[in-house]
């Protein structure tokens, strides 16, 4: 399984970015895909996740209403649309995959595969 994250960059506060996570190596219909982020000196935290089978989503309270996770079955790609970005959103963003069809876990240890991370920097 390979996860390739992209789409990070530098944006001003209030701006938008869309992250992509291209998945390959197997079929992901039974997987949960998620985005985590890690700022310098902080623990990796859950941002949003989506159950591939039915599109069920979960978002952390800190991004609810601003970020949206989605998937494209044909492209085997998961997206994170980030709007109204704040300086505190600055972090390295990682995509992850979990072989769990029932729930969307929010702890990193639950996930089996990780992408390489993409830097998001929001200037004030």
């Amino acid at each position: 399984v390979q996860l390739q994250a992209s789409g990070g960059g530098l944006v001003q506060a209030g701006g938008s970015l869309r992250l992509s996570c291209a998945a390959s190596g197997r079929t992901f219909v039974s997987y949960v895909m998620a985005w985590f982020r890690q700022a310098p000196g902080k623990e990796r935290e859950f941002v949003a996740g989506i159950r591939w089978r039915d599109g069920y989503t979960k978002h952390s309270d800190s991004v609810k209403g601003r970020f949206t996770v989605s998937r494209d079955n044909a492209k085997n790609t998961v997206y994170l649309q980030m709007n109204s970005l704040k300086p505190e959103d600055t972090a390295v963003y990682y995509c992850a995959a979990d072989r769990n069809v029932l729930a969307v876990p929010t702890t990193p240890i639950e996930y089996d595969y990780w992408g390489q991370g993409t830097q998001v920097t929001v200037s004030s």
Side-chain angles (χ1 to χ4, degrees), residues 81-107:
Q81 179 66 44
M82 305 186 295
N83 299 328
S84 303
L85 282 160
K86 305 175 181 179
E88 50 263 44
D89 295 318
T90 295
V92 177
Y93 284 69
Y94 298 90
C95 61
D98 174 30
R99 293 170 291 182
N100 182 342
V101 70
L102 299 179
V104 177
T106 60
T107 53

Side-chain angles (χ1 to χ4, degrees), residues 35-37 45-49 58-61 63 67 80 93:
W35 290 96
F36 286 77
R37 66 186 181 186
E45 65 169 346
F46 174 82
V47 176
K58 179 185 290 187
H59 297 78
S60 69
D61 288 342
V63 307
F67 292 10
L80 185 67
Y93 284 69

Side-chain angles (χ1 to χ4, degrees), residues 29-52:
V29 65
S30 62
Y31 277 59
V32 165
M33 308 294 290
W35 290 96
F36 286 77
R37 66 186 181 186
Q38 189 166 19
K42 294 189 176 181
E43 293 186 352
R44 193 167 296 190
E45 65 169 346
F46 174 82
V47 176
I50 185 166
R51 196 163 56 197
W52 202 287

